[in-house]
Amino acid sequence: MAYGSLAYGMLTGTFTEEMDFGSNDWRSRRGRLGNINLFQHLFGPDHFLKNLRAVDDLKAIANRYGKSLPQFALRWTLTNPLISTALVGCRNEREVEDNVGAIGWSISEADLKEIDTIFERRGVNAMPDLWLES
Protein backbone atom coordinates (compact mmCIF):
# COMPACT_ATOMS: atom_id res chain seq x y z
CA MET A 1 0.00 0.00 0.00
CA ALA A 2 1.36 3.39 -0.97
CA TYR A 3 0.57 6.04 1.62
CA GLY A 4 0.75 9.67 0.55
CA SER A 5 0.66 8.72 -3.13
CA LEU A 6 0.59 12.35 -4.24
CA ALA A 7 3.63 13.10 -2.08
CA TYR A 8 1.61 15.21 0.35
CA GLY A 9 0.67 17.65 -2.37
CA MET A 10 3.99 17.76 -4.22
CA LEU A 11 2.53 15.74 -7.11
CA THR A 12 -0.52 17.93 -7.51
CA GLY A 13 1.62 20.39 -9.44
CA THR A 14 0.37 23.35 -7.41
CA PHE A 15 3.50 24.09 -5.34
CA THR A 16 5.98 26.79 -6.32
CA GLU A 17 9.46 27.85 -5.22
CA GLU A 18 7.84 30.72 -3.31
CA MET A 19 5.39 28.39 -1.57
CA ASP A 20 4.45 29.48 1.92
CA PHE A 21 2.78 26.58 3.68
CA GLY A 22 1.96 28.68 6.72
CA SER A 23 3.10 28.08 10.27
CA ASN A 24 0.27 25.63 11.02
CA ASP A 25 1.18 23.32 8.12
CA TRP A 26 3.66 20.56 9.01
CA ARG A 27 5.30 20.97 5.57
CA SER A 28 6.56 24.40 6.68
CA ARG A 29 8.94 22.56 9.04
CA ARG A 30 11.00 21.49 6.00
CA GLY A 31 10.16 17.84 6.20
CA ARG A 32 10.40 17.38 9.95
CA LEU A 33 7.47 15.75 11.64
CA GLY A 34 8.24 15.91 15.35
CA ASN A 35 11.77 14.60 15.82
CA ILE A 36 11.61 12.55 12.63
CA ASN A 37 12.98 13.68 9.28
CA LEU A 38 10.50 11.43 7.50
CA PHE A 39 9.60 13.94 4.82
CA GLN A 40 12.93 15.69 4.34
CA HIS A 41 13.20 14.06 0.89
CA LEU A 42 10.13 16.01 -0.16
CA PHE A 43 10.22 19.31 1.70
CA GLY A 44 13.71 19.59 3.19
CA PRO A 45 15.98 22.42 2.03
CA ASP A 46 18.19 20.04 0.03
CA HIS A 47 15.27 18.47 -1.81
CA PHE A 48 12.29 20.81 -2.26
CA LEU A 49 13.57 22.71 -5.32
CA LYS A 50 14.86 19.54 -7.00
CA ASN A 51 11.47 17.94 -6.50
CA LEU A 52 9.64 20.95 -7.92
CA ARG A 53 11.80 20.83 -11.04
CA ALA A 54 11.10 17.11 -11.46
CA VAL A 55 7.37 17.80 -11.06
CA ASP A 56 7.57 20.36 -13.87
CA ASP A 57 9.19 17.73 -16.09
CA LEU A 58 6.51 15.18 -15.16
CA LYS A 59 3.75 17.62 -16.12
CA ALA A 60 4.95 17.45 -19.73
CA ILE A 61 4.56 13.67 -19.80
CA ALA A 62 1.13 13.85 -18.14
CA ASN A 63 0.06 16.35 -20.80
CA ARG A 64 1.05 13.91 -23.55
CA TYR A 65 -1.48 11.49 -22.08
CA GLY A 66 -4.11 14.19 -21.64
CA LYS A 67 -4.05 13.57 -17.89
CA SER A 68 -3.71 15.80 -14.86
CA LEU A 69 -0.51 15.45 -12.88
CA PRO A 70 -2.32 13.72 -9.98
CA GLN A 71 -3.85 11.20 -12.40
CA PHE A 72 -0.46 10.55 -13.95
CA ALA A 73 1.28 10.23 -10.57
CA LEU A 74 -1.33 7.80 -9.28
CA ARG A 75 -1.10 5.71 -12.45
CA TRP A 76 2.70 5.63 -12.06
CA THR A 77 2.32 4.52 -8.44
CA LEU A 78 -0.07 1.74 -9.38
CA THR A 79 2.26 0.59 -12.16
CA ASN A 80 4.60 -0.78 -9.49
CA PRO A 81 3.70 -4.47 -9.17
CA LEU A 82 4.36 -4.34 -5.41
CA ILE A 83 1.62 -1.77 -4.90
CA SER A 84 -2.06 -2.69 -4.94
CA THR A 85 -3.45 0.43 -3.29
CA ALA A 86 -2.53 4.10 -3.65
CA LEU A 87 -3.96 6.09 -0.74
CA VAL A 88 -4.86 9.71 -1.33
CA GLY A 89 -6.65 12.38 0.62
CA CYS A 90 -9.36 14.36 -1.13
CA ARG A 91 -10.80 17.63 0.10
CA ASN A 92 -13.72 17.81 -2.31
CA GLU A 93 -15.69 15.95 -4.97
CA ARG A 94 -13.63 17.44 -7.81
CA GLU A 95 -10.44 15.90 -6.39
CA VAL A 96 -12.14 12.52 -6.02
CA GLU A 97 -13.32 12.64 -9.63
CA ASP A 98 -9.89 13.71 -10.85
CA ASN A 99 -8.16 10.87 -8.99
CA VAL A 100 -10.52 8.33 -10.57
CA GLY A 101 -8.94 9.36 -13.89
CA ALA A 102 -5.87 7.32 -12.89
CA ILE A 103 -7.79 4.11 -13.63
CA GLY A 104 -8.14 2.30 -16.93
CA TRP A 105 -5.01 3.27 -18.84
CA SER A 106 -1.27 2.62 -18.69
CA ILE A 107 2.05 4.40 -19.05
CA SER A 108 4.33 3.12 -21.79
CA GLU A 109 7.64 1.47 -20.94
CA ALA A 110 9.46 4.29 -22.73
CA ASP A 111 7.73 6.89 -20.56
CA LEU A 112 8.41 4.88 -17.39
CA LYS A 113 12.09 5.00 -18.33
CA GLU A 114 11.79 8.73 -19.00
CA ILE A 115 10.38 9.20 -15.49
CA ASP A 116 13.39 7.37 -14.04
CA THR A 117 15.67 9.58 -16.14
CA ILE A 118 13.93 12.72 -14.83
CA PHE A 119 14.41 11.59 -11.24
CA GLU A 120 18.06 10.79 -11.86
CA ARG A 121 18.75 14.05 -13.71
CA ARG A 122 17.05 16.11 -10.98
CA GLY A 123 18.65 14.16 -8.12
CA VAL A 124 15.31 12.93 -6.79
CA ASN A 125 15.09 9.77 -4.69
CA ALA A 126 11.54 8.55 -5.33
CA MET A 127 11.79 5.82 -2.69
CA PRO A 128 14.05 6.78 0.23
CA ASP A 129 14.92 3.87 2.55
CA LEU A 130 13.31 5.79 5.40
CA TRP A 131 9.92 5.36 3.70
CA LEU A 132 10.13 1.61 3.23
CA GLU A 133 8.52 -0.63 5.77
CA SER A 134 10.24 -3.91 6.55
Side-chain angles (χ1 to χ4, degrees):
M1 175 176 11
Y3 182 80
S5 299
L6 294 178
Y8 306 94
M10 181 70 70
L11 291 172
T12 63
T14 59
F15 294 170
T16 66
E17 291 185 29
E18 299 81 27
M19 192 74 188
D20 178 7
F21 290 107
S23 61
N24 291 333
D25 190 314
W26 64 268
R27 292 171 291 198
S28 67
R29 292 181 225 123
R30 306 182 140 226
R32 293 188 64 80
L33 194 55
N35 291 327
I36 303 170
N37 283 322
L38 188 60
F39 302 104
Q40 69 182 347
H41 293 290
L42 287 173
F43 302 104
D46 296 333
H47 302 278
F48 186 67
L49 293 179
K50 291 190 282 188
N51 290 333
L52 286 179
R53 291 180 183 113
V55 165
D56 283 341
D57 294 345
L58 293 173
K59 286 179 188 176
I61 304 174
N63 286 337
R64 290 197 305 248
Y65 284 86
K67 300 295 182 182
S68 69
L69 185 59
Q71 291 169 340
F72 187 75
L74 291 172
R75 179 76 262 146
W76 174 78
T77 299
L78 293 169
T79 298
N80 185 324
L82 299 176
I83 296 174
S84 62
T85 304
L87 292 177
V88 293
C90 299
R91 294 174 293 177
N92 55 53
E93 184 178 337
R94 184 188 55 75
E95 289 179 357
V96 172
E97 291 171 0
D98 187 61
N99 290 341
V100 170
I103 299 170
W105 60 281
S106 59
I107 300 172
S108 73
E109 286 298 320
D111 287 334
L112 290 171
K113 288 178 183 172
E114 184 177 352
I115 293 166
D116 291 340
T117 299
I118 288 169
F119 291 154
E120 186 177 330
R121 182 177 68 242
R122 296 296 186 186
V124 172
N125 182 354
M127 203 177 333
D129 290 340
L130 187 59
W131 292 359
L132 302 177
E133 204 174 283
S134 312

